[in-house]
Structure formats: structure tokens, C-alpha cells
Amino acid sequence: MELSALTALSPLDGRYAGKLAALRPLLSEFGLMRCRVQVEVEWFLALSEAGFSEFRPLPGAARARLQALVRDFSEADAAAIKAIERRTNHDVKAVEYWIKQRLAGQPELARAAEFVHFACTSEDINNTSHALMLQAARDLVLLPALDAVQDRLRALAHALADLPMLSRTHGQTASPTTLGKEVANVVARLHTARARIAAVPLQAKMNGAVGNYNAHLVAGPDLDWEALSRQVVEKRLRLKLNAHTIQIEPHDYMAELFDAFARANTILIDWSRDVWAYVSLGYFRQRLKEGEVGSSTMPHKVNPIDFENAEGNFGLANALLAHLSAKLPISRLQRDLSDSTVLRNMGVALGYTLLGYDSLQRGLDKLQVDEARLAADLDAAWEVLAEAVQTVMRRHGLPNPYEQLKKMTRGKAVTAAAMRRFIGALQLPPDDKQRLLALTPHGYTGMAAQLARRV
């Protein structure tokens, strides 16, 4: 079968391909090849300035031609590298050979062709490339998408800050809150999670076959190779040098980054399930879309599918992120290859994360609040004022306040009249009694509105 959206094995490249277009050039094999070319070119340029008598600094035109290999890297270039790989059976060596082919016919570059991939192991190129891929995906796609979700939730929190809602601890009626405050809780959690994603330093190494600059020092004993590596990694590539490694960069930062994404995803799974419950309770309705069907047999259905899809996509993402986090920092002795195939799935894990953001955003855009339903639930739950009444009774030393309210309310529906009769019979100071008599479930929301507006 021809590969298409209908025949793709992964739904990320099939059914959902259009929603992941922004990640595809960054975390695909094309993206990996482009970053490999970028690293090889930056290392080559740095070597030209290192002081080798055999490799003098390049003129501006030659530097521009090299930099154009990265800037103009195309799918045709990636295909050409892939063709070389079919002969070499080595993906990084194929990149080296492709660059050397592009230098042919340019004397000032061709003379220095053996400085391409000079003293490098494949992992010097791969680990820096993976860090560049994650840098672009995080900063250009995933964080902006997460910010969009957070901004939408913040706007919702502010808009609904004053709208009272019955809480349901353990699924049972509980002290009221506001709908905006419950959204604000999610925003506050996401703020912390987002900061942790952004703060993870993306590390890389350029130190040879086992991390000791062995070949470098033999070929250039007078050069400060660690300083040169730091210049390439930190100045040219804008990453952070890891000076102590085996053949591979140990991927601890990747584990930290993937764990940070998983934490944000978990917060959004929690929210997706809560919204699903609020839709079930009737607190939210969903805007209808012309022509859309909710059930093949029940015409009335309007299902919260976007929140269900978000939950499922975040769950898939977290399963993969957990494996990446647990597996990647482990490598036998100075190197084994078990990380290689796993690293090729970074895009899958982060793709499901992005898909989760998209599903959640779509769901949020459909929500409409049913204020009448919220009010009806509050009107039917006067028992939730028992907390306030027994607390005021405690302050004034009345006998057995908790036990009295427990007897009156536990497991029972309490009316406004019954609650007010109970309060009216209490021996309380007039101001406190009047405050309790004036209290309703709608007004018993504490600082909820202020807290909602604060995020």
C-alpha cells in the first residue's frame, strides 16, 4: 500500500497529521538530519579558527556557503543523505560524506574536507542534534501551545470568578466555591509546571569516543579542546556543555525535561476529567456544531469527546515519556546502542502531548456555563452551611456544635427553613446570629472570587 494519511501506521502521521505539522520538521528524521548538518558545519567552522596550520580561517564567502547548507537544507538533501546511508549503513557517516560532496569544487573548502567530522564520534553529532531538536520543539511549538491553553484557562477563571458552584468532595455536596476558582487552581498548577519545563538546561557534549578528547589531543596537543567544545556547544549552538560523559551524553537532562512535560500533562488529565464531570452534572453545556453526530443511535447525544480525547492523548504521551525518562539515562559501561531507537520516538511522545493540548483547546472553546443548573444545585444543598454554623458555635463555646450539626444534616437534605430555625434557636451574639441567618449556599464561597482573579 502507498503511504498516506489512510495507511499510516501511526495516527500521528495519519488521522492527526494536520494537527502536528509544526512538530514534523523539528522532530522527524528530516529534522534530525538537518541538525546533524548544523552541528557538523559549526564544528568545521570552529576548527577553521582553532589555529591549525593546515586549516586556516575561511573567507566570508566560504563561510556563507557552509551556513547555506543548514539554512537551505531541503527534503531533497535529506533524501540524498538517505541514499548514501543505504550504502554505508551508518546515518552519521552518511551526513559527513554528503557534506564532503557539497564541498567538492570549492577549493578553499575542498582542501580542508578531512576536517569535516574531525576527531568526532557519532554521538558528538547525535547528542547535540537531539538537544537542538528538543530546544526548537520546546521553545517554538510546545511551550507556545501550552501557553495558549493556560491563557484560555486564565481568561475563563477571571470571567467566572464570581459564579458560585457547589463543591463535591468525594462526589458529595461540600462547601461552595466558584467555578472560576476551580479553573484558577489549574492555572496555578500549570504555571509551576510550565516554569519547570522551560528551566531545564539542554545539555550536549563534544569530547570524543569515550569523553576524554583522546584523539583530539594526539592530533592537536597544543589546543585547549575543552574550551573549543564549550565554544561550539554554548556559543554557537546555545546549549550547555556537559564536561563529564562516557561516549554518550547521559541524557539526565532529557529525563528531567520529559518528566516536566509529563507533570503538566498529568495536571491537564486531572482537569479533563473534572470538566467531563462538570458536563455530566450539567454545569457546562457544549456549543452545537451543525452536522455533528454524538451517537449513531441516540440522536440527543452531545458528548464531551474533546476532553476524552485530551485525556487519552495525554495518557499515551505520559506512557512514552515515562519510558524515555526511565530508559535513556542508562547505558552499559561506556556505551550501548539501546538508546538510539528509543530516542527516535521523542517526536511520538511530544506529538501526543501537542495533540492533547489541541484536543483540550477545542473542548474549552465549546464550553458554555449553565448558570441555572449551578444555582439549582446550590439551592438544594443547604446542608453545606453546617460547616459555617458549627464553626461559629465553637468560637462561642456552645455545647457539642459538631455533633449537633452532624445529627441534623448528615446524609439528609436540609431546607433553608430548617437551617434558619436551627440558627435562630442558638444562643449567639446578635451580629454573629444575623450573619449566619443571612448566609446562603450562594454566598458561602470564602475567598474564592479573589483567588480566581489573582491568577
Side-chain angles (χ1 to χ4, degrees):
M1 299 176 75
E2 290 290 327
L3 180 61
S4 71
L6 290 174
T7 61
L9 186 60
S10 167
L12 297 182
D13 292 317
R15 184 180 184 90
Y16 306 125
K19 297 176 181 179
L20 301 175
L23 276 183
R24 194 162 288 109
L26 306 178
L27 295 179
S28 60
E29 188 159 9
F30 167 88
L32 175 58
M33 288 182 179
R34 183 186 181 281
C35 287
R36 283 169 171 162
V37 172
Q38 180 183 357
V39 174
E40 293 279 14
V41 165
E42 293 298 342
W43 182 246
F44 186 81
L45 289 171
L47 290 172
S48 75
E49 301 164 0
F52 284 103
S53 58
E54 302 86 354
F55 190 13
R56 308 311 302 171
L58 294 168
R63 295 174 65 87
R65 284 195 292 274
L66 281 168
Q67 289 163 340
L69 295 180
V70 182
R71 185 187 65 242
D72 302 332
F73 190 77
S74 67
E75 290 186 55
D77 294 328
I81 293 172
K82 201 68 179 174
I84 298 171
E85 185 187 339
R86 284 193 286 273
R87 182 178 74 251
T88 62
N89 197 30
H90 197 287
D91 48 4
V92 176
K93 202 67 177 175
V95 172
E96 176 190 342
Y97 287 164
W98 178 81
I99 293 174
K100 286 179 175 178
Q101 287 177 2
R102 299 300 296 267
L103 302 187
Q106 303 177 53
E108 72 272 32
L109 294 174
R111 282 194 297 269
E114 286 308 315
F115 280 92
V116 176
H117 201 69
F118 184 80
C120 289
T121 183
S122 297
E123 269 304 299
D124 288 335
I125 310 304
N126 278 338
N127 89 98
T128 43
S129 296
H130 288 134
L132 289 171
M133 293 164 72
L134 288 171
Q135 182 183 64
R138 177 183 69 176
D139 297 348
L140 301 180
V141 180
L142 289 157
L143 282 180
L146 179 56
D147 288 343
V149 171
Q150 192 171 354
D151 289 346
R152 181 70 182 86
L153 288 169
R154 183 181 293 108
L156 201 61
H158 292 169
L160 303 175
D162 295 299
L163 185 62
M165 181 186 83
L166 190 64
S167 293
R168 290 183 179 271
T169 59
H170 307 280
Q172 309 301 307
T173 59
S175 300
T177 181
T178 70
L179 189 48
K181 166 55 169 45
E182 298 315 296
V183 181
N185 293 339
V186 182
V187 177
R189 295 174 71 190
L190 283 179
H191 178 78
T192 300
R194 193 257 189 225
R196 288 174 180 162
I197 294 170
V200 176
L202 307 183
Q203 295 185 299
K205 70 104 183 182
M206 292 285 289
N207 53 16
V210 292
N212 303 327
Y213 303 98
N214 302 45
H216 305 65
L217 287 168
V218 173
D222 298 327
L223 287 181
D224 185 343
W225 286 101
E226 187 174 18
L228 184 64
S229 293
R230 188 176 299 279
Q231 180 205 6
V232 172
V233 169
E234 297 190 350
K235 301 298 184 184
R236 293 177 176 271
L237 300 178
R238 306 295 181 185
L239 303 170
K240 180 176 174 59
L241 182 72
N242 187 344
H244 290 83
T245 77
I246 51 176
Q247 183 176 105
I248 64 171
E249 200 285 327
H251 307 320
D252 293 330
Y253 85 86
M254 286 188 179
E256 184 180 356
L257 180 65
F258 296 145
D259 286 345
F261 271 114
R263 180 60 46 224
N265 290 350
T266 297
I267 292 166
L268 293 173
I269 289 173
D270 191 26
W271 170 241
S272 297
R273 291 177 179 175
D274 278 356
V275 177
W276 186 96
Y278 292 144
V279 170
S280 179
L281 289 166
Y283 293 175
F284 284 120
R285 289 180 282 107
Q286 299 174 97
R287 289 187 181 88
L288 301 181
K289 184 177 180 182
E290 185 65 31
E292 195 171 76
V293 173
S295 166
S296 64
T297 186
M298 294 176 283
H300 70 282
K301 296 294 287 295
V302 184
N303 297 327
I305 57 173
D306 296 300
F307 299 104
E308 293 168 341
N309 286 338
E311 179 182 348
N313 289 323
F314 287 134
L316 278 167
N318 280 8
L320 290 165
L321 291 167
H323 180 67
L324 290 166
S325 176
K327 189 275 156 293
L328 289 175
I330 299 170
S331 187
R332 295 173 184 86
L333 303 180
Q334 282 70 50
R335 172 71 164 123
D336 75 59
L337 203 62
S338 60
D339 67 329
S340 179
T341 189
V342 175
L343 283 164
R344 292 182 184 276
N345 288 276
M346 294 190 310
V348 182
L350 295 176
Y352 276 112
T353 295
L354 184 62
L355 195 58
Y357 297 160
D358 178 83
S359 299
L360 193 57
Q361 191 77 281
R362 289 170 185 269
L364 290 171
D365 288 342
K366 293 179 184 177
L367 290 181
Q368 293 178 309
V369 178
D370 190 334
E371 295 190 25
R373 176 62 175 153
L374 287 162
D377 267 10
L378 287 163
D379 287 337
W382 280 76
E383 66 273 10
V384 298
L385 299 185
E387 177 194 36
V389 175
Q390 66 95 14
T391 303
V392 174
M393 291 170 67
R394 281 174 181 268
R395 176 185 174 183
H396 294 289
L398 271 63
N400 303 317
Y402 179 88
E403 288 72 18
Q404 288 191 59
L405 269 298
K406 175 184 172 184
K407 182 178 180 181
M408 175 187 176
T409 61
R410 192 166 192 249
K412 301 173 185 176
V414 177
T415 66
M419 182 59 71
R420 285 171 175 155
R421 277 196 305 272
F422 181 88
I423 296 168
L426 296 174
Q427 297 300 310
L428 290 171
D431 287 349
D432 288 318
K433 181 178 285 191
Q434 281 306 120
R435 189 164 58 253
L436 288 177
L437 286 170
L439 195 59
T440 69
H442 294 261
Y444 184 46
T445 57
M447 289 181 58
Q450 298 97 301
L451 291 166
R453 283 191 286 268
R454 189 186 295 171
V455 295

